[in-house]
Amino acid sequence: MNTSNTKSIFVGNQEIVVLNCPCFYQNESTFRVLKRSAEIVQDTNATDQLYIPYTQGLLLNPKLKNSNINISGDYERGECNLIIRNFSADDTGIYRCEYWDNGNVCIDTYNVYLRSPPSNLKLQFTTERNGSKILRGIEGHKITIVCTVKSGKPEETLVLKTNGSTVQTGRDGRLEYSFVPTRKDNQQSFVCYAFSEILDNSLVCTVELDIIYKPDLVIHNINPKTLVEGNFTKLCCHAYGNPNIQTTEWKKNGESVVIRDDSYLCLEFTPLNRSDTGNYTCKATNTVGPSEKSMLYKVLYPPVINITRTVFEKNITLTCNPSGEPTNYTFDNWEHHSEFKDYIRNLRGTKDGTLTIFKAGNNSRQNENDGIYTCKSSNGIPDVHGDLYQKGSILINDEGPPIFVKANKPIQFGQYDREINLTVLLYNKFGNIQTNITKGNKALNIQTTEEKIVTNDLFHSVNITVNGIKIIFKMVMDAAEDFKEYTITACNQNGCNAYMVMIKSASETDVSRASDRPEPPTNVSVLPYKTYFKVSWCPGFNGGFSQTFFIEYKTETEEVWRRTESVMDNMQHTMSTLLHDISPNTRYHVQVLSENIIGQCIRNKTDFTLVLSLGLSNNGYAVTVVSIVLPIIFIVVLTIVMMVVFFIRNKARDLSGYINNRGDEITENNQGESVENQLYQSSPFHNAAAVHHVVNQNETYQNLRSLSHENQVHQMRLYNENGANGPSVSYSNRSVLSPVHGLKIGESSLQYAEVIFENEPMTQEVVIHGIADRTIYSDIDFMVQHVAQPCSRSESDSESDDDFMYVDGIENYAEKRGKSNS
């Protein structure tokens, strides 16, 4: 079995080269050499052999005449190396090492060359111009770039590049690259490189293309801001070509306007007129031929807007139809205004300028869609005033029944045995109005007067001015039963609407007060929760008009109040809402305000509630410690408090009776809300008893960790006469801090505070035992829920004579508590 390996070796002139051949015995390794035909005669007299034996093992052929050949090596190392010194062209050839290896004949072949660099790199078919090589071509006709070189040893590589990118490679001393040029290839440079490993720097040759073509035309666009009727502008054409341009011409709609022997030509419009709209063509000519380029130009102007409407059973569709140039329109939101230009709302239409208005399902509010609807559209061209969006408007009036406007007074005042003008205000856009008035189910024949007025109404919660009709019923309050509700019905050809007015008996002061702004809300309280506040209040007198409420709040460091959305008066004794967007561990000022159509209630700059938002405490080792320490602190603190209360007052309210009185509070929030227990005080401290669950701005305190899973802190604090913090107790899941300052504990007053508990299962039973001769509390039920008592329009004083009851024993208290629960 024969194996062979071939390797090319390039040797410099007069260098030394060593050729390796494995050998272990003299007769198992030979070097045989095939010299170039002109060199064989010089090496040996054996001209009849192609391959000349040079060595056998470590023995050199004695017949060799060249003295620069030598052999070296060692059989033990298995090396028989042929050494050629002072290498020249006579030593080039094929050297074959033949040896035995495990019974196989192996041949290692060395092609040995004399190293030489490439030379004479050229680009064919080029001409000289200003010292540069030029290759001419015609646009659209094939052109070939040919690069040649005299090859060296080792063989070089030819590379053709343009703009730094390789487009073709070649060997054997020749490279060709063909392509079809365009006018963009004119003056493009191509570079041919010859790379060789024996060259420090490659050979380089550069050629520049000279491509001739018809004129290339550029029409400079007119700035749309100047292409408006009345402006001064010009239209210009620039021609480029190889060879140079001979003539340039402008045509309008196919007819020649101007021609010159120049490459740049302009048409001037002074000023621009609509008649200048047309198709403009620029034509340029050189020796290759003519070129043309056309563009359509239109005089620009802003749109004129027309609105059409289509009425359906349940909606009205308005379509905005702009007409201008250009015709690519954009549409802004529609605007809805009253007939008196009062802004009502913005409406988003479709992208093509269509707006759908759905009719109100309630007959009493069908008029809310009446008014002026304005479409705004633009095509990018401003008008003479610089306005980008142009407007078009249409008046919409729904032909519905008469509407009782929001400015009506649901409560009107009268005096016994005196005439009263019961007044209602109507909005009507269709036909004549017929009205009647009834008391109960009885129709009344009462003299009426009618006059046209300008009044107010709420359209989509916006107070606007409208044309109205005032209907006055002249009545005399003859008897007490006359002071009751009256129903006024107003009809036209499209239907009827009814309105109820309550006539109340009042003094002269009450009558004058019935057309005023509302009174401020009372009994404002704020409960902090994890992510929001719960704000509660009692509405004040509405001034004779329907009123709405809104909450204003800000942090202590902010200057500007933030305002919530309005809350409608639900005519209940107590109202509440949730206040979100609250940051944890932050003090907030909160106030509740009211307003009606007359105006807003009088604001007291100092009448606000200060409240601290809750913060999340970290889970950790401290929870375990607090769970052990807190029950002990809780018992000690309550024991001390009860001792103080016992020595101040000997009378105590029956505790079970107190629980019964608070039963409604305990059952209202049975859905997981916290129980709110405020600080109660006797009448001498009425002003201080308005608890708003706040912490004084200057007081400092430290929260204790909670026993709950959320590890949040809830504290109860008692305050002494100087406003200092008393002992604190921490247990529940919400923090409600109730500061009361300037209080004195005496015979005529008693304060006590309640702890807030959340509806969460307890993992252990909590029992607080009293000390001998002291008030005893036991079996506190942590699972009950708070039910808020409806607050009254004014604070009521409460005597504290029966605040606590002294319990003789646990059994007595349990018996009383069982009866209370039953």
Side-chain angles (χ1 to χ4, degrees):
M1 181 178 181
N2 297 332
T3 60
S4 61
N5 294 308
T6 302
K7 184 178 182 180
S8 296
I9 298 177
F10 300 93
V11 185
N13 194 31
Q14 301 302 313
E15 290 183 352
I16 298 175
V17 61
V18 178
L19 305 179
N20 305 109
C21 187
C23 64
F24 300 97
Y25 299 99
Q26 179 174 336
N27 60 351
E28 292 184 357
S29 174
T30 62
F31 256 112
R32 298 169 63 83
V33 181
L34 174 62
K35 304 295 277 301
R36 301 295 181 263
S37 58
E39 302 164 354
I40 293 176
V41 177
Q42 300 178 3
D43 290 339
T44 178
N45 293 328
T47 59
D48 57 338
Q49 297 180 6
L50 294 178
Y51 280 89
I52 302 171
Y54 266 43
T55 65
Q56 185 172 4
L58 293 175
L59 296 178
L60 190 65
N61 187 352
K63 296 182 180 180
L64 296 177
K65 295 182 179 180
N66 47 342
S67 59
N68 62 333
I69 303 298
N70 199 0
I71 188 74
S72 66
D74 189 336
Y75 291 130
E76 293 183 1
R77 295 196 306 270
E79 294 181 358
C80 294
N81 300 324
L82 181 66
I83 302 173
I84 306 174
R85 295 182 174 84
N86 299 322
F87 192 89
S88 64
D90 296 336
D91 298 312
T92 60
I94 301 174
Y95 292 75
R96 295 179 61 181
C97 167
E98 300 176 0
Y99 61 94
W100 286 87
D101 184 9
N102 294 327
N104 296 322
V105 177
C106 299
I107 301 175
D108 291 342
T109 303
Y110 298 94
N111 293 320
V112 184
Y113 300 95
L114 182 64
R115 187 186 302 124
S116 62
S119 60
N120 198 22
L121 181 66
K122 292 182 180 181
L123 284 165
Q124 304 295 327
F125 315 117
T126 62
T127 59
E128 292 285 336
R129 186 173 66 188
N130 299 327
S132 300
K133 290 182 173 59
I134 303 298
L135 180 61
R136 284 195 170 91
I138 302 175
E139 182 181 32
H141 294 74
K142 181 179 178 181
I143 186 174
T144 301
I145 299 176
V146 180
C147 181
T148 61
V149 69
K150 181 180 179 182
S151 295
K153 296 295 182 182
E155 186 180 11
E156 71 287 332
T157 300
L158 295 177
V159 177
L160 184 65
K161 293 185 177 183
T162 180
N163 295 326
S165 300
T166 299
V167 295
Q168 188 75 333
T169 60
R171 301 186 71 85
D172 299 329
R174 186 179 179 88
L175 176 150
E176 292 187 5
Y177 174 65
S178 299
F179 66 102
V180 177
T182 66
R183 62 190 63 194
K184 294 181 179 179
D185 295 315
N186 186 45
Q187 298 181 346
Q188 186 78 16
S189 294
F190 285 81
V191 182
C192 183
Y193 298 89
F195 295 98
S196 175
E197 63 184 44
I198 65 174
L199 292 176
D200 294 333
N201 296 303
S202 60
L203 302 180
V204 180
C205 189
T206 303
V207 64
E208 181 179 302
L209 300 185
D210 182 17
I211 307 299
I212 60 175
Y213 55 91
K214 294 180 180 181
D216 192 10
L217 303 177
V218 176
I219 299 178
H220 299 284
N221 290 329
I222 298 178
N223 190 331
K225 293 182 179 180
T226 63
L227 196 61
V228 178
E229 187 175 25
N231 288 344
F232 294 82
T233 188
K234 59 184 178 179
L235 183 62
C236 298
C237 176
H238 199 172
Y240 305 88
N242 185 29
N244 293 333
I245 305 300
Q246 294 175 333
T247 60
T248 303
E249 180 183 12
W250 269 114
K251 296 180 180 181
K252 178 186 176 183
N253 298 329
E255 296 182 2
S256 179
V257 177
V258 61
I259 183 171
R260 290 180 185 172
D261 54 352
D262 197 351
S263 62
Y264 189 78
L265 186 60
C266 293
L267 286 177
E268 294 187 357
F269 302 94
T270 55
L272 191 65
N273 190 274
R274 295 185 184 183
S275 61
D276 295 321
T277 296
N279 187 30
Y280 290 85
T281 302
C282 177
K283 178 181 178 181
T285 306
N286 64 3
T287 57
V288 180
S291 294
E292 291 185 352
K293 188 173 185 180
S294 299
M295 297 195 73
L296 177 64
Y297 281 96
K298 296 181 180 180
V299 178
L300 308 180
Y301 57 93
V304 176
I305 297 177
N306 178 45
I307 299 177
T308 58
R309 65 177 172 181
T310 305
V311 180
F312 299 97
E313 181 180 355
K314 294 184 179 180
N315 62 71
I316 299 175
T317 300
L318 303 181
T319 304
C320 188
N321 304 300
S323 176
E325 188 62 47
T327 58
N328 52 322
Y329 305 106
T330 58
F331 297 89
D332 201 355
N333 289 344
W334 290 69
E335 291 182 354
H336 182 195
H337 292 81
S338 72
E339 294 184 58
F340 288 84
K341 310 302 181 183
D342 296 326
Y343 172 82
I344 299 176
R345 55 179 173 161
N346 259 3
L347 297 169
R348 184 181 297 277
T350 62
K351 292 183 178 180
D352 59 355
T354 300
L355 176 67
T356 300
I357 306 169
F358 291 95
K359 297 181 180 180
N362 186 355
N363 281 347
S364 64
R365 299 313 306 159
Q366 284 188 1
N367 62 327
E368 284 190 309
N369 290 328
D370 287 1
I372 299 172
Y373 288 83
T374 301
C375 167
K376 295 187 292 183
S377 178
S378 173
N379 61 355
I381 306 302
D383 59 14
V384 293
H385 304 291
D387 295 328
L388 191 60
Y389 277 85
Q390 310 306 314
K391 298 181 179 180
S393 299
I394 188 172
L395 176 63
I396 300 295
N397 283 320
D398 187 32
E399 296 181 352
I403 305 295
F404 290 89
V405 301
K406 293 294 184 180
N408 278 292
K409 301 176 184 179
I411 300 176
Q412 300 184 29
F413 294 88
Q415 292 179 291
Y416 181 75
D417 202 25
R418 291 192 181 182
E419 186 178 76
I420 176 177
N421 291 332
L422 191 156
T423 304
V424 292
L425 307 177
L426 292 169
Y427 175 92
N428 182 60
K429 290 294 181 181
F430 181 76
N432 297 322
I433 297 177
Q434 292 182 353
T435 59
N436 62 75
I437 183 170
T438 60
K439 181 173 65 173
N441 295 324
K442 181 181 179 182
L444 304 179
N445 186 13
I446 298 177
Q447 179 184 358
T448 63
T449 61
E450 178 180 323
E451 64 175 292
K452 294 183 179 180
I453 62 168
V454 175
T455 183
N456 295 89
D457 197 7
L458 286 180
F459 279 21
H460 300 283
S461 301
V462 178
N463 190 15
I464 65 168
T465 304
V466 295
N467 286 314
I469 299 174
K470 179 192 290 186
I471 307 294
I472 300 175
F473 298 88
K474 295 185 178 294
M475 306 168 57
V476 176
M477 302 289 101
D478 294 326
E481 58 268 18
D482 290 336
F483 295 94
K484 62 182 304 181
E485 286 186 338
Y486 292 82
T487 301
I488 296 93
T489 304
C491 302
N492 63 13
Q493 297 177 10
N494 282 336
C496 302
N497 274 313
Y499 188 74
M500 298 185 67
V501 176
M502 168 66 77
I503 299 181
K504 291 185 177 182
S505 177
S507 63
E508 294 291 344
T509 302
D510 292 329
V511 174
S512 62
R513 190 171 68 106
S515 298
D516 199 357
R517 65 181 65 190
E519 294 179 354
T522 60
N523 296 351
V524 178
S525 65
V526 182
L527 262 69
Y529 289 81
K530 297 176 185 177
T531 58
Y532 60 90
F533 290 155
K534 181 178 180 181
V535 185
S536 301
W537 69 92
C538 293
F541 177 64
N542 61 13
F545 304 99
S546 59
Q547 63 179 339
T548 58
F549 304 92
F550 53 87
I551 315 300
E552 287 191 345
Y553 66 104
K554 67 182 182 70
T555 64
E556 284 187 317
T557 59
E558 290 178 335
E559 296 293 335
V560 180
W561 290 87
R562 287 179 275 175
R563 175 176 291 194
T564 64
E565 294 183 356
S566 61
V567 180
M568 295 297 297
D569 189 355
N570 59 12
M571 306 303 292
Q572 301 297 319
H573 292 288
T574 304
M575 295 186 62
S576 64
T577 188
L578 300 182
L579 184 59
H580 296 277
D581 190 22
I582 300 300
S583 300
N585 294 322
T586 306
R587 294 175 184 263
Y588 282 88
H589 292 167
V590 180
Q591 61 181 352
V592 183
L593 302 174
S594 59
E595 66 178 2
N596 60 16
I597 61 174
I598 302 300
Q600 181 180 298
C601 68
I602 299 176
R603 180 200 299 263
N604 188 345
K605 294 184 179 180
T606 61
D607 187 14
F608 57 81
T609 300
L610 177 63
V611 60
L612 175 66
S613 61
L614 298 183
L616 298 176
S617 59
N618 297 325
N619 297 326
Y621 172 77
V623 176
T624 304
V625 177
V626 172
S627 65
I628 299 174
V629 176
L630 284 183
I632 300 174
I633 297 177
F634 189 87
I635 294 174
V636 173
V637 171
L638 281 183
T639 301
I640 295 174
V641 173
M642 293 303 104
M643 291 176 64
V644 174
V645 172
F646 175 76
F647 286 106
I648 293 175
R649 301 292 301 266
N650 291 325
K651 297 180 182 180
R653 173 190 287 176
D654 187 338
L655 183 59
S656 62
Y658 169 72
I659 294 176
N660 287 334
N661 293 336
R662 298 288 288 173
D664 291 338
E665 284 188 31
I666 295 173
T667 58
E668 179 179 342
N669 293 330
N670 55 6
Q671 301 301 323
E673 294 290 341
S674 297
V675 178
E676 176 190 352
N677 296 296
Q678 301 180 354
L679 187 63
Y680 293 86
Q681 302 172 6
S682 56
S683 56
F685 300 96
H686 171 75
N687 293 332
V691 178
H692 300 296
H693 311 284
V694 300
V695 177
N696 186 274
Q697 187 172 359
N698 298 323
E699 73 176 349
T700 59
Y701 59 91
Q702 179 179 2
N703 291 338
L704 297 178
R705 294 191 179 272
S706 169
L707 297 180
S708 68
H709 296 293
E710 298 177 0
N711 299 314
Q712 298 181 7
V713 180
H714 300 265
Q715 298 186 345
M716 176 189 72
R717 296 184 178 275
L718 299 180
Y719 297 85
N720 58 21
E721 182 175 355
N722 297 325
N725 294 339
S728 65
V729 150
S730 172
Y731 195 88
S732 182
N733 223 4
R734 307 207 182 283
S735 175
V736 179
L737 307 180
S738 304
V740 179
H741 300 278
L743 299 180
K744 297 181 180 180
I745 300 175
E747 289 294 323
S748 63
S749 65
L750 177 64
Q751 302 83 29
Y752 61 90
E754 296 177 6
V755 184
I756 294 173
F757 299 100
E758 187 173 350
N759 184 22
E760 291 190 2
M762 301 300 297
T763 59
Q764 60 184 5
E765 182 181 1
V766 179
V767 179
I768 305 174
H769 297 279
I771 305 176
D773 297 329
R774 292 175 176 84
T775 302
I776 297 174
Y777 291 85
S778 66
D779 292 340
I780 296 178
D781 189 354
F782 290 87
M783 300 299 294
V784 296
Q785 297 298 315
H786 168 63
V787 176
Q789 290 282 28
C791 58
S792 61
R793 298 285 176 166
S794 62
E795 292 286 347
S796 61
D797 299 336
S798 63
E799 294 297 330
S800 57
D801 294 338
D802 296 324
D803 286 332
F804 292 94
M805 180 186 74
Y806 179 79
V807 182
D808 293 332
I810 300 300
E811 295 81 0
N812 294 341
Y813 168 71
E815 181 180 357
K816 290 178 178 291
R817 185 176 183 275
K819 294 179 180 180
S820 174
N821 291 337
S822 63

